[in-house]
Amino acid sequence: MLYITTALYDEASPYIELLGLKKDVSFNKIRVYSNENAVLAVTGTGVFAAVSSLSYVLGRIQPSRGDVFLNVGICGGRGVTNTYVCRKLSLFGDKRAYFCPDMIYMTDFDEAELVTYPKPVGEIPKGVLVDTEAYGLAFAASAFFSPHRMFFIKTVSDEGDHDRITHGYIRELMEKNAEKIAAFALSIPHEEALEELSSDELCEIEKLRMSTTQTKMLKDCLYYYRLRGGDVLKLLRELPEVKTKQEGRETLDRIRRIAAGSVI
Amino acid sequence: MTESEGSPQARLYSHFSHIYVEKNLAGSKRAENIINKFPKANVIEINHYKDIFNRKNQSFSAQKASQSLILGEKHADLVYKGAPFCQDFGNSEFYYTSLVMGCVYDCEYCYLRGMYPGGNMVAFLNAEDFLDEVKKVSCGKKIFLCISYDTDLAAMESVFGFCALWHSFAEKNRNITIELRTKCAELGFLKKLRPLENYIIALTLSPEKNAVRYEKKVPSLEKRLEAGRMAAELGHPLRLSFDPMLKTDNFDETYKDFIQKCFSSLPANKIKDIGFGAFRISPSYLKAMRKNYPSSAIALYPYELQDGAYSYDKTERDYMTSKLMKYIEKYINNDKIYLWDT
């Protein structure tokens, strides 16, 4: 699942269109759009709105290990005009508050460092991008996502001269790279995950009357047995019936020996 | 646009494309020398190495696929007492230290997969503080110090130069015996170092079949043997480490051929000693390994817990040990063979 956040609807609209997202009416505090592959939240502007909105969404739809977080939107930048992927996000006024996403996957964009301010700034410092949300989003998202699956891709809209920023201008800027950015986010490979045992296999395990700890140990043995090419269901079905806890323990030991194979 | 319509899988950055440097080290000579070895790297200033290395939710395996380098300083716990899982080679005063955390190689059985929160590499640039601390710990006594456990210092010698630094330390402190453990085949830097009795090159070797299957990015057995021969011929004390010994199909044949191959390449009379032991790991590291690598055969194997370590069951371990001992004894006196067991 891809989780996208933008501060404004105008930043979100190209992604809503590209990914075919529909308004999710189950969220009534902020605007959320979703389908089976992606969720997009329009958080509102400012670091507090960003943190509370994202926490609201992630509290409702808990991401899993392999999900991807993407923040897109406009930002300020002095003497620069492009779209950048952020390698460091910090909070203005707090030297200890910063976050570095893992830079593992290549994009077509240059890298930049971004400082999140409490409100829009007129005088933008040289050499950094500025916004009013990203660090807050990183802070909230880092509790749920791996740092190598978090991306902050920002397009410079102004040098602090906010008057030029209109709805149409934002959309125009965002549309430029939306397709490329969405394709990139969707191309992040899935995490290696353990394939669970089948429902038939789990059903056979239940018959073995094992404690929670024994069941966990048994499953570990079976995963290894399967990795070695063994037929887990066949093995379980051929076991003698277990009537007592003692027999359960003996069965676990037997399966462990079968799964491990012998070197002798 | 859907996931299946998306572009092919994202490309990875090359190793050390990103270097994180603690702010107080930026511009320092040692940091600059290292950074200059990676002219295309993006350099990012950070407050403290732990802000990157110790983050929650990191993926060890993803970071190993595209490692970043972190340059920092460490000011506490610079020298540790040797861990019970490690071999002391008969030395009662056994310590280890890590100027670098994280390894350029990626072995499936490596305990680092369960020990560290991430797969990046940290180098501590206040090396002299480590040397001073070792001197304090030794206090003039004879000690045995392993410097390349949680990394492979030799594999990174062209970048950090720490092997040479420790060598010069060993030269001035003859009471401290240093072991440089490595799987690296590029040991050319040894030609510039005077062989010292108290500076041991410990070469880790595995049967070719295991090396190919489990030792990602590690030089082939052939190349390691060549490097070992060169080190021995230069006169450096050479220790062989057949550790971990892994349970494999055709164990007898695999290890018999392996030992034969080792001693057809290496001069047995120039081997200082040999250490070996079956795979063993602490429960917490094994748990993390299984989480990080859910389909790793090494991680998933149903080990037995004995005396605080997971390993093969005793009967099998004894069998494997006795076989390997028998093969090694053909070439090396028994008093030079050290076995790790619980």
Side-chain angles (χ1 to χ4, degrees):
Chain A
M1 180 80 90
L2 170 62
Y3 291 74
I4 307 174
T5 63
T6 66
L8 306 166
Y9 179 78
D10 292 319
E11 293 168 325
S13 66
Y15 292 88
I16 296 171
E17 209 170 292
L18 264 170
L19 299 167
L21 306 178
K22 300 275 177 254
K23 187 156 191 194
D24 188 336
V25 290
S26 68
F27 289 91
N28 54 10
K29 311 285 184 207
I30 59 164
R31 279 180 286 181
V32 174
Y33 301 82
S34 66
N35 64 15
E36 64 280 11
N37 296 318
V39 181
L40 183 150
V42 181
T43 61
T45 56
V47 73
F48 294 115
V51 172
S52 60
S53 299
L54 181 59
S55 304
Y56 169 54
V57 173
L58 299 180
R60 288 268 305 273
I61 316 173
Q62 287 255 331
S64 56
R65 194 174 169 221
D67 289 340
V68 171
F69 175 80
L70 171 67
N71 169 235
V72 285
I74 57 167
C75 66
R78 198 158 143 194
V80 287
T81 52
N82 287 334
T83 294
Y84 295 89
V85 59
C86 300
R87 62 186 181 204
K88 182 178 177 183
L89 309 143
S90 46
L91 183 64
F92 176 76
D94 186 346
K95 284 182 179 167
R96 287 175 305 170
Y98 69 103
F99 178 80
C100 298
D102 273 339
M103 303 304 286
I104 287 178
Y105 301 110
M106 286 172 96
T107 66
D108 291 336
F109 306 110
D110 287 338
E111 292 178 14
E113 296 186 8
L114 181 143
V115 182
T116 294
Y117 280 73
K119 60 180 186 182
V121 278
E123 283 261 328
I124 297 175
K126 250 190 167 178
V128 292
L129 307 179
V130 298
D131 84 340
T132 54
E133 296 85 23
Y135 175 76
L137 294 166
F139 182 81
S142 62
F144 297 87
F145 297 90
S146 289
H148 74 294
R149 302 180 84 78
M150 294 170 63
F151 304 94
F152 298 82
I153 303 180
K154 307 294 252 185
T155 300
V156 177
S157 59
D158 60 276
E159 290 193 89
D161 46 338
H162 305 119
D163 296 347
R164 65 197 281 198
I165 303 172
T166 62
H167 294 289
Y169 178 60
I170 296 171
R171 281 187 192 220
E172 194 186 312
L173 282 178
M174 295 301 292
E175 273 165 9
K176 253 190 215 167
N177 287 311
E179 200 164 330
K180 201 188 266 184
I181 294 169
F184 165 74
L186 293 172
S187 74
I188 302 304
H190 293 283
E191 293 282 281
E192 185 191 3
L194 189 66
E195 194 194 325
E196 287 301 327
L197 296 168
S198 71
S199 53
D200 285 348
E201 289 160 347
L202 291 173
C203 198
E204 292 298 325
I205 290 172
E206 258 186 48
K207 292 178 194 167
L208 299 174
R209 299 171 180 231
M210 288 183 185
S211 66
T212 312
T213 312
Q214 285 174 325
T215 304
K216 165 89 182 64
M217 287 161 77
L218 174 69
K219 282 183 180 176
D220 284 346
C221 293
L222 294 173
Y223 290 134
Y224 183 73
Y225 184 64
R226 184 177 62 190
L227 196 69
R228 286 181 53 220
D231 184 338
V232 170
L233 192 59
K234 189 165 173 260
L235 173 69
L236 290 169
R237 284 189 173 153
E238 283 172 359
L239 291 171
E241 196 185 345
V242 172
K243 289 181 187 153
T244 63
K245 282 186 180 174
Q246 174 61 24
E247 285 175 359
R249 276 194 292 273
E250 285 166 9
T251 302
L252 174 60
D253 196 43
R254 185 177 164 186
I255 292 180
R256 201 197 66 75
R257 275 184 275 114
I258 294 171
S262 176
V263 74
I264 303 168
Chain B
M1 186 182 280
T2 66
E3 261 181 273
S4 55
E5 288 166 4
S7 55
Q9 287 206 337
R11 289 165 298 150
L12 295 173
Y13 277 110
S14 59
H15 287 298
F16 307 133
S17 62
H18 290 77
I19 302 178
Y20 298 89
V21 190
E22 283 184 4
K23 221 175 264 175
N24 59 321
L25 291 173
S28 73
K29 201 176 159 199
R30 198 170 257 162
E32 285 301 310
N33 280 344
I34 293 168
I35 291 166
N36 288 341
K37 305 267 170 49
F38 304 96
K40 287 184 183 167
N42 291 301
V43 179
I44 303 159
E45 276 190 20
I46 56 171
N47 293 347
H48 195 277
Y49 77 90
K50 287 183 181 174
D51 295 342
I52 303 299
F53 191 66
N54 286 17
R55 286 171 300 173
K56 283 181 184 167
N57 287 337
Q58 294 181 88
S59 165
F60 190 96
S61 55
Q63 289 175 350
K64 282 302 268 191
S66 169
Q67 248 177 333
S68 290
L69 178 60
I70 304 163
L71 304 179
E73 281 190 347
K74 194 178 184 197
H75 298 287
D77 299 326
L78 307 185
V79 183
Y80 299 95
K81 264 275 186 199
F85 296 107
C86 304
Q87 279 188 306
D88 57 16
F89 293 89
N91 298 279
S92 54
E93 293 293 323
F94 167 35
Y95 296 88
Y96 82 97
T97 185
S98 292
L99 273 175
V100 176
M101 300 198 297
C103 187
V104 74
Y105 300 137
D106 192 11
C107 300
E108 193 171 324
Y109 51 73
C110 183
Y111 63 90
L112 295 183
R113 285 181 167 208
M115 181 169 131
Y116 285 149
N120 289 328
M121 182 184 284
V122 187
F124 297 117
L125 303 195
N126 57 327
E128 286 68 21
D129 293 341
F130 285 71
L131 307 185
D132 289 346
E133 185 66 18
V134 170
K135 261 199 236 174
K136 264 190 225 162
V137 167
S138 81
C139 208
K141 289 179 302 193
K142 278 192 165 195
I143 69 163
F144 173 55
L145 177 75
C146 292
I147 58 167
S148 189
Y149 264 170
D150 303 338
T151 184
D152 194 314
L153 276 192
M156 295 297 287
E157 182 61 4
S158 62
V159 176
F160 302 130
F162 289 151
C163 298
L165 185 79
W166 279 115
H167 178 272
S168 126
F169 177 79
E171 206 160 22
K172 290 174 206 141
N173 297 275
R174 296 304 179 102
N175 57 317
I176 298 168
T177 299
I178 286 177
E179 183 208 84
L180 173 70
R181 191 164 286 219
T182 185
K183 288 183 181 133
C184 180
E186 303 292 328
L187 299 181
F189 67 90
L190 290 178
K191 289 178 187 162
K192 292 184 195 157
L193 305 181
R194 192 162 71 91
L196 300 173
E197 231 177 77
N198 63 326
Y199 189 81
I200 302 165
I201 312 302
L203 191 63
T204 300
L205 302 168
S206 316
E208 199 148 16
K209 192 168 78 174
N210 292 358
V212 169
R213 187 166 173 198
Y214 301 121
E215 296 176 347
K216 220 158 71 183
K217 302 181 199 166
V218 179
S220 66
L221 172 62
E222 201 79 47
K223 285 192 173 161
R224 274 182 267 174
L225 288 171
E226 265 172 47
R229 190 169 57 231
M230 183 204 71
E233 279 165 4
L234 286 170
H236 292 282
L238 181 65
R239 167 171 291 156
L240 300 183
S241 167
F242 304 136
D243 197 359
M245 176 175 60
L246 295 175
K247 183 174 158 181
T248 54
D249 297 332
N250 304 322
F251 178 87
D252 297 16
E253 208 179 306
T254 302
Y255 274 87
K256 191 177 174 186
D257 292 350
F258 163 62
I259 297 299
Q260 204 170 13
K261 187 164 187 176
C262 288
F263 288 100
S264 63
S265 296
L266 298 169
N269 61 338
K270 289 192 173 168
I271 305 296
K272 177 180 167 55
D273 53 29
I274 290 179
F276 75 99
F279 174 82
R280 67 275 182 191
I281 193 159
S282 81
S284 60
Y285 293 177
L286 184 63
K287 190 178 170 193
M289 258 172 111
R290 285 179 173 167
K291 190 179 160 218
N292 289 330
Y293 292 90
S295 56
S296 152
I298 299 275
L300 281 178
Y301 182 89
Y303 300 102
E304 275 195 359
L305 184 63
Q306 297 148 43
D307 302 323
Y310 274 111
S311 188
Y312 305 116
D313 75 46
K314 184 153 172 49
T315 320
E316 289 200 296
R317 223 172 50 229
D318 287 348
Y319 175 83
M320 290 155 66
T321 301
S322 66
K323 286 283 176 188
L324 193 49
M325 186 68 97
K326 191 178 106 186
Y327 303 143
I328 300 170
E329 277 173 345
K330 274 190 192 167
Y331 305 93
I332 295 280
N333 276 344
N334 186 281
D335 61 351
K336 285 185 173 181
I337 306 171
Y338 293 88
L339 163 70
W340 183 93
D341 204 9
T342 52

